[in-house]
Amino acid sequence: MAQWTSAVGAAQLARLLNSQQERPAGPGSRRPPAYRALADGIRLLVLEGRVPVAARLPAERELALSLSVSRTTVAAAYEALRGEGFLESRRGAGSWTAVPAGNPVPARGLEPLPPEALGSMIDLGCASLPAPEPWLTRAVQGALEELPPYAHTHGDYPAGLPALRAMIAERYTARGIPTMPEQIMVTTGAMGAIDAICHLFAGRGERIAVESPSYANILQLMREAGARLVPVAMAEGLAGWDMDRWRQVLREAAPRLAYVVADFHNPTGALADEDQRRRLVDAARAAGTVLVADETMSELWLEEEEEVGAAGMPRRVCAFDPAGSTVITVGSASKAFWAGMRIGWVRAAPDIVRSLVAARAYADLGTPVLEQLAVNWLFSTGGWEQAVALRRAQARGNRDALVTALRRELPDWEFSVPQGGLTLWVRAGGLSGSRLAEMGERTGVRVPSGPRFGVDGAFEGYVRLPFTVGGAVAEEAAVRLAAAARLVETGGTGAAAESPRTFVA
């Protein structure tokens, strides 16, 4: 019986391998043999999760044709991988990827490190900050005081608690976007909201247009739902969307859905201006595409009030769709407040909300009542504004410390400093982001490589660095990244990095 659970075609594997930049040759170093370079490339794809474990690899002859190399080269690479525990084979069943005994199975998303690993490893993989106390504790205490009447009910509210739906609708209305509670559905985080939207609108095989780069976990969610992702390149730097490309994709590909982050885009930090928002909504409407606008970063502007601030922020994307026929908005408490507060919401036309609620009976039934009450307490008491102000100050300090440290330790790395959000998108001085992520594990800093945020291996020369650490920890993170870069430059054969010292944030 075959041990593989999925398959990777020769053309797809060739694209992923060809996207990997060759590591630069260090002083006195020699280029590895072709079979070794191929084996290293496949191993790296498995370690990053871009080729799943237990995925059947193409036959030697097929892959050799796709890569324009000899079959002997592919056979030698496969043999090397088998010897290292990254490949298993059986006559008649082919060869499939594996991980050596004792190695963790690679995550396909960007899960945070387990708490026991935080002492020696600086985690720049997850773009989330600690809770803004004392507001978390106060919100939970306020929720407990409001809980007794709900405890006498069944506790299932598929559309969300009526009080919280009304409060979210009121907040949109206060921003000049008239909204009824019937247009709101409370979800288990933004991921739960987007998962529900994808299942309702985009069945297996449907096209979904996505920014390129885009948020890695959402891309993986869509892949696993069977969607066909259509990447649309972002404009350079922090300029936002390339509207000519968007119009072309919407017109020619006619995707069922389009997913965008207009406010402090993850991972680039770009902020789309009002004209871009208006034109994208118009183009989506003309193409019959449903536009999903992710607002999870919208309150995380980090500059002073007069430079960006609430008054200077562009209007929400849904403000340009008064009829509610084109834009579905997704919001969340996870980024602006705390990732452990798994409360998200959808704002859409009432008929769409009803359809989402009806489909929820076959998914998670509803969102935890206590957490909904906690968010409602924050919204209704002014605690939300004070907690988010604390979050902005913390993220601003972390951003500035990280930028200063990177410019000192890695002056060849290129990036634009965003005005908000939680992420820095960095071109890594011609180095492979995948290899930096691999070597970072050795030097004590965890970073996600650029290809996690692209489609089919794009952005190999990038890494994403979130503003999750500051002060001395940010400085140490930059030092460890510089050490990882040196290992990449020498092909991992330079002097071994010192064991990372325990570092408590």
Side-chain angles (χ1 to χ4, degrees), residues 156-166 168 181-187 344-346 353-354 356-358 360-361 364-367 372:
D156 288 333
Y157 296 88
L161 293 184
L164 181 56
R165 295 176 72 197
I168 294 170
E182 292 79 9
Q183 292 178 260
I184 302 297
M185 170 181 164
V186 180
T187 62
W345 54 86
V346 173
V353 169
R354 286 193 294 270
L356 289 170
V357 170
R360 195 171 195 178
D364 64 352
L365 293 178
T367 301
Q372 292 188 71

Side-chain angles (χ1 to χ4, degrees), residues 19 55 85 120 138 141 146 276-277 304 315 377 452 470 477:
S19 74
S120 60
R138 292 181 183 177
Q141 290 171 342
E146 298 292 332
Q276 290 174 325
R277 297 171 192 233
E304 297 301 324
R315 284 178 288 170
W377 183 92
R452 293 283 187 110

